Amino acid sequence: MELRVLRYFMMIVQEKNISKAADRLHVSQPTVSRQLKDLEAELGTTLLDRGNRTIRLTADGEYFANQAKQILSLADKTLTNIHQDQDIGSVFVGSAEARSMLTVAQAIGHLNHQHPRVQVNLVSTDAAEIHQQLSSGVFDFGVVMEPVDKTDYDFLRLPGESRWGLLVQSRSALAQQATVSLDDVAHTKLILPQQGGSQRIHDLFGFTQADLDVAATYNLLYNASLLVTAGVGNALGLDGIINTNQTDLTFIPLKPRISSGASLVWLKGQHLSTAAQALLAEIQAILAPTQTHR
């Protein structure tokens, strides 16, 4: 299976039409059709349902497209870093939404000043995706919220903590309170973070899923804020992520105070690229002398 064929396949997926994919690839339609047929024969399955106007992925096609996307991403990153000179390379960082990202952001700024041609690619996502992409080699680093199992990772604790609270509509009765209690949380319709699932909610707040009235879940608080605006419920989340100025939303912190920190993680035993090593060195320099590499 060649990378070129995977690129053909992903272009077909993007365009949903073999002729349009061929035009984008600057090759003939028969060439693309033949490569697709050979790929399906090699895999022993049908990847696409071919309609008169558009094509659709089969269940196997959906799975293969996701895997092909990761393979191509990893291949592109690897080729870039192998062919780099002193100032060329790329780093991929998957990150939860957290104030602690400021340290990483400062390190990226320092790195860019020292090596202007190094590109840092930041992907905002949740812990499950970060773990998966670290394991597959797509991400070099992840920024994850505590508590989290770091058995398979080297890590650096990042400074700063974010306080938990409720994001509510400003016209709601809760918005008139300076703080909210756990009892308030238990008696409102909630939009919960997906990271860590029900176990993390229990560990942090003592609730079980049966204790709560859950309307929806989220992995990025910005999307959750839109649900709050639409009246779906109140979002349990961290402060400092959504700027509520000039909006109809209010963030109310929990009392007693419950906070979470974050850690930078990377796979144990992983050989980091020159660009990734340079970013790690900048982060360590910012954290020194208060922290050391774990």
Side-chain angles (χ1 to χ4, degrees):
M1 189 181 304
E2 300 179 10
L3 292 178
R4 172 177 52 83
V5 177
L6 295 184
R7 297 189 195 280
Y8 283 8
F9 173 71
M10 292 306 296
M11 186 60 73
I12 295 171
V13 172
Q14 179 180 326
E15 294 297 326
K16 297 182 175 59
N17 183 283
I18 293 178
S19 296
K20 291 180 180 179
D23 289 341
R24 291 283 305 277
L25 293 164
H26 305 293
V27 296
S28 68
Q29 179 179 337
T31 296
V32 176
S33 296
R34 184 175 63 255
Q35 294 289 352
L36 176 60
K37 184 178 180 180
D38 291 345
L39 177 61
E40 290 179 322
E42 180 180 355
L43 295 172
T45 189
T46 300
L47 299 174
L48 302 170
D49 287 329
R50 298 159 176 80
N52 292 331
R53 297 183 179 180
T54 62
I55 59 174
R56 293 182 179 179
L57 289 166
T58 64
D60 285 343
E62 291 278 3
Y63 173 77
F64 186 75
N66 182 62
Q67 298 301 108
K69 182 179 179 181
Q70 293 192 43
I71 291 169
L72 291 173
S73 178
L74 180 58
D76 290 341
K77 186 185 80 169
T78 302
L79 289 173
T80 297
N81 288 329
I82 285 177
H83 295 153
Q84 70 180 351
D85 58 29
Q86 186 176 2
D87 285 327
I88 296 177
S90 63
V91 187
F92 284 78
V93 181
S95 177
E97 296 176 305
R99 285 183 171 181
S100 301
M101 257 301 296
L102 178 59
T103 299
V104 178
Q106 292 170 338
I108 292 171
H110 296 166
L111 179 66
N112 185 257
H113 180 73
Q114 297 293 327
H115 304 280
R117 297 174 68 186
V118 171
Q119 178 176 305
V120 179
N121 305 279
L122 182 63
V123 181
S124 296
T125 186
D126 58 19
E129 180 73 8
I130 289 171
H131 293 318
Q132 178 184 346
Q133 299 288 38
L134 284 171
S135 297
S136 65
V138 175
F139 289 169
D140 298 290
F141 302 104
V143 176
V144 292
M145 300 303 299
E146 300 289 352
V148 66
D149 182 8
K150 299 187 286 293
T151 304
D152 298 327
Y153 301 98
D154 287 321
F155 66 95
L156 292 171
R157 293 193 184 276
L158 299 174
E161 290 192 336
S162 297
R163 187 174 183 180
W164 287 90
L166 282 181
L167 190 65
V168 305
Q169 291 183 341
S170 298
R171 63 177 178 271
S172 71
L174 285 175
Q176 311 311 311
Q177 301 178 193
T179 60
V180 289
S181 66
L182 291 176
D183 187 63
D184 290 327
V185 173
H187 288 87
T188 189
K189 189 172 287 292
L190 287 171
I191 303 166
L192 292 181
Q194 294 172 3
Q195 178 169 318
S198 58
Q199 184 60 50
R200 185 163 188 255
I201 295 299
H202 180 268
D203 292 345
L204 282 169
F205 309 106
F207 297 124
T208 64
Q209 195 77 10
D211 296 327
L212 304 174
D213 182 6
V214 181
T217 65
Y218 70 90
N219 68 339
L220 295 176
L221 190 55
Y222 175 75
N223 290 332
S225 74
L226 299 180
L227 295 178
V228 176
T229 298
V232 174
N234 299 315
L236 184 65
L238 297 168
D239 68 346
I241 298 173
I242 300 298
N243 183 356
T244 59
N245 291 335
Q246 298 181 340
T247 73
D248 61 352
L249 300 178
T250 301
F251 182 88
I252 315 167
L254 272 168
K255 186 177 182 179
R257 182 187 182 100
I258 300 176
S259 300
S260 291
S263 291
L264 179 83
V265 299
W266 63 100
L267 282 178
K268 285 183 178 178
Q270 179 183 8
H271 179 74
L272 297 174
S273 68
T274 302
Q277 291 178 36
L279 177 59
L280 180 59
E282 292 291 348
I283 295 171
Q284 289 172 323
I286 292 173
L287 297 179
T290 59
Q291 282 192 286
T292 57
H293 171 200
R294 300 296 185 92

